[in-house]
Amino acid sequence: MEPFLRCGPLSARDGEGRVLFEDQELRLHAGGVTVLEGPSGSGKSTLLRLVSGLVPARGVRRELQGRAHGRASLPRWRSVVTLMAQDAPVLPGSLRWNLEFPYGLRNAAGRSFDEGRAREILEAVGLGGIAMERGAGTLSGGERHRLALARALLWDPPVLLADEPFSGLDPDMAFRCAELLVEHAARPDRAVLAVLHDPSLGMGRARRLRLAGGRLEAA
Amino acid sequence: MSEALIHLTPLDLAVATLLVVAAAGLSIVLGLGIERRLGIAALRTVVQLGLLGLVLERVFAVRKPVFVLAMLGAMIFFAGREAVARSTRRYPGIWMDAWFTMAASCLVVGGVVTQVVVGVEPWYDPQYVIPLLGMILGNSLNGISLALERLLEHLHSRAHEVELFLAFGATRSEALSEPLRTALRTGLIPVVNAMTAAGLVSLPGMMTGQILAGAPPLQAVAYQVVVMFMLAAANAMGSILITFGAARRLVAPDGSLRPGRLQEVGGRGRRRRGV
């Protein structure tokens, strides 16, 4: 079966120049979460960032649903293969601005911010009690992670690359957010690749990839 | 205007020296411990300005375009060097960017002022060209180094915000719009402040000089207005050139950040911000 997303060859080195992995190819299938496992320091975050094209790399071929995206269209690629970076970055400004800003970009291609849907999702991640006008800088670490998840779910890209999306959440909340992500990914035209602090969390039926010893393989 | 000019003699300068000596004496009496630095600074003023005076006398006397251009070249070189020296962060190519920025803003704005507004005859007349372009360099240096410092600081400490924009599909210019705007605003603050306070809080230095030299006050005002507008233009143009240059080198066209290119160095940014 033709994969939903195909990206490679992927190679990376660590800060000291040692090879983390070389000439690996990522294939993701639609309709579900794929958990990326591997020992710490094996380059899981780097792999996600390479796929999204946020770190410079040469000769990487990126294909979504059989359609290739060249280097020139990397911004367009990122709007459909979106990275939720580690540590849940937020913008200074309100919660609303943090959810709304992607819709002002050229690559939003006419999509507009749906406030009603935004409220639903905030409710679902347990941020429903917080005013949309509140400054995002006042949120706690766990709330920031939930805001980042809400932003990603609202943006609803075909592929979501989630780097430790549930870190800093208490077990109940983490489980609730994991369910949301699984539900989001279950549709036939969606895929999620997630690096998880606790890979067992709510991901019983997920596909698994393992990055270890420089190789990316099905686990 | 020369009949009003009072010539300063070596004796006058010696009397003025007493003022610095008095300041140093105060430092010793109060135990401020600044007398040594004051002495060195005073000596540097005399030596540096003395040398400049000698060079200017020579350049004015010869009145050849090649000397004027050589002097401008040296001034641009030192201005670019100072802009980089003030920055607490560096990236590969920062020297070229600083020199290009200094040369372009100084030559374009200075060119318009000397050739079109003032209409200097001949075009290279050192009496006008050198002080005017020198003022542009010295003043826009402030704005340029502030803007550069602000942008590099933003790309360092707020890189995750820029990346967040990129991660959701922003193009390079969209992701850099906020950092560039903040940096440009910062770069323009000194000249906007100077224009706002002109004549109320401070009597601008050049106007003061012209009045001392016997120029009619309204003529001095006219020159000062030209100079202020010239400095505003040079600061704006210089800030734009340096920030766009730096951004172009630190973020790839496809919008991948190159944070590894940004290196922290000592810099003299905090200490030297005076005019």
Side-chain angles (χ1 to χ4, degrees):
Chain A
M1 188 172 83
E2 185 63 16
F4 189 58
L5 174 143
R6 184 204 291 264
C7 182
L10 300 166
S11 306
R13 289 165 186 274
D14 68 7
E16 276 110 48
R18 279 179 308 220
V19 173
L20 286 170
F21 47 85
E22 206 154 29
D23 293 338
Q24 300 299 302
E25 189 181 62
L26 172 72
R27 293 149 173 257
L28 282 184
H29 291 281
V33 176
T34 303
V35 177
L36 177 60
E37 300 177 345
S40 69
S42 58
K44 299 185 294 292
S45 291
T46 308
L47 187 122
L48 258 52
R49 293 168 59 80
L50 265 174
V51 173
S52 84
L54 277 172
V55 284
R58 286 205 186 145
V60 178
R61 191 173 160 79
R62 297 184 172 84
E63 268 181 34
L64 184 66
Q65 292 180 285
R67 212 185 124 216
H69 287 244
R71 267 184 89 75
S73 63
L74 261 182
R76 171 86 194 117
W77 166 264
R78 291 189 199 107
S79 78
V80 289
V81 180
T82 304
L83 175 75
M84 269 178 79
Q86 213 174 4
D87 298 329
V90 297
L91 299 175
S94 64
L95 245 68
R96 180 195 301 278
W97 169 240
N98 268 277
L99 296 171
E100 196 179 17
F101 83 85
Y103 301 89
L105 303 173
R106 217 173 307 152
N107 280 322
R111 296 174 58 190
S112 56
F113 178 61
D114 181 344
E115 175 140 6
R117 178 86 185 116
R119 285 187 191 286
E120 272 173 41
I121 292 175
L122 285 177
E123 192 74 48
V125 299
L127 292 177
I130 300 180
M132 292 269 260
E133 306 313 322
R134 189 163 137 194
T138 65
L139 299 179
S140 72
E143 287 170 335
R144 279 199 357 239
H145 274 91
R146 286 183 274 157
L147 175 62
L149 179 64
R151 171 167 54 217
L153 294 179
L154 183 64
W155 182 242
D156 194 17
V159 179
L160 192 57
L161 308 167
D163 196 350
E164 301 209 8
F166 315 131
S167 62
L169 301 187
D170 63 62
D172 284 352
M173 187 50 80
F175 190 77
R176 197 164 140 190
C177 288
E179 278 184 334
L180 280 171
L181 196 64
V182 168
E183 189 186 316
H184 161 91
R187 290 168 294 162
D189 52 353
R190 290 292 182 270
V192 171
L193 177 66
V195 173
L196 298 176
H197 187 63
D198 172 6
S200 61
L201 186 97
M203 297 289 166
R205 296 178 49 222
R207 281 180 282 263
R208 291 179 188 268
L209 288 173
R210 188 166 173 79
L211 181 63
R215 298 180 62 82
L216 181 65
E217 293 170 326
Chain B
M1 66 194 226
S2 56
E3 67 256 16
L5 210 56
I6 303 169
H7 269 275
L8 289 183
T9 63
L11 183 66
D12 298 328
L13 285 176
V15 175
T17 307
L18 287 179
L19 295 173
V20 176
V21 172
L26 206 64
S27 162
I28 292 171
V29 171
L30 296 177
L32 303 179
I34 203 177
E35 60 277 356
R36 223 182 104 81
R37 277 173 57 191
L38 196 65
I40 292 173
L43 209 65
R44 281 189 64 155
T45 301
V46 173
V47 173
Q48 286 165 201
L49 290 181
L51 283 175
L52 178 66
L54 289 175
V55 172
L56 285 181
E57 291 259 350
R58 194 86 199 113
V59 173
F60 282 22
V62 179
R63 290 176 67 87
K64 282 224 168 78
V66 58
F67 284 96
V68 177
L69 290 177
M71 177 131 189
L72 286 181
M75 285 157 62
I76 288 170
F77 172 80
F78 284 112
R81 217 178 67 138
E82 180 65 16
V84 176
R86 286 186 191 185
S87 172
T88 53
R89 290 171 211 285
R90 305 267 160 88
Y91 58 86
I94 190 171
W95 295 96
M96 290 317 294
D97 287 353
W99 281 320
F100 174 76
T101 299
M102 283 299 168
S105 62
C106 156
L107 295 179
V108 171
V109 177
V112 170
V113 169
T114 56
Q115 307 309 310
V116 182
V117 180
V118 180
V120 173
E121 270 304 328
W123 64 266
Y124 55 85
D125 186 350
Q127 190 196 334
Y128 291 90
V129 171
I130 288 176
L132 284 172
L133 269 66
M135 235 183 309
I136 295 179
L137 284 172
N139 191 284
S140 61
L141 178 63
N142 266 322
I144 287 169
S145 43
L146 282 175
L148 178 64
E149 178 79 4
R150 187 57 179 263
L151 180 78
L152 299 186
E153 174 59 28
H154 196 130
L155 292 183
H156 171 76
S157 62
R158 294 170 67 181
H160 59 278
E161 290 171 28
V162 178
E163 240 180 40
L164 179 56
F165 264 89
L166 294 171
F168 277 78
T171 59
R172 170 163 76 166
S173 58
E174 284 172 329
L176 285 172
S177 132
E178 178 61 21
L180 285 173
R181 275 158 38 111
T182 342
L184 289 178
R185 221 179 291 136
T186 309
L188 284 176
I189 286 174
V191 74
V192 170
N193 283 348
M195 288 202 287
T196 311
L200 295 176
V201 184
S202 63
L203 213 53
M206 155 163 157
M207 200 177 123
T208 313
Q210 279 202 314
I211 292 174
L212 282 177
L218 276 180
Q219 196 54 47
V221 165
Y223 261 96
Q224 189 63 49
V225 169
V226 170
V227 164
M228 282 295 190
F229 290 176
M230 160 180 105
L231 296 182
N235 271 287
M237 188 174 159
S239 300
I240 287 174
L241 286 176
I242 195 77
T243 48
F244 278 66
R248 195 174 46 93
R249 292 188 197 264
L250 292 167
V251 184
D254 60 26
S256 47
L257 280 179
R258 298 155 163 170
R261 292 195 175 184
L262 206 54
Q263 282 174 353
E264 192 153 3
V265 290
R268 291 180 277 135
R270 302 276 176 268
R271 277 194 285 133
R272 302 185 45 172
R273 230 161 238 177
V275 181

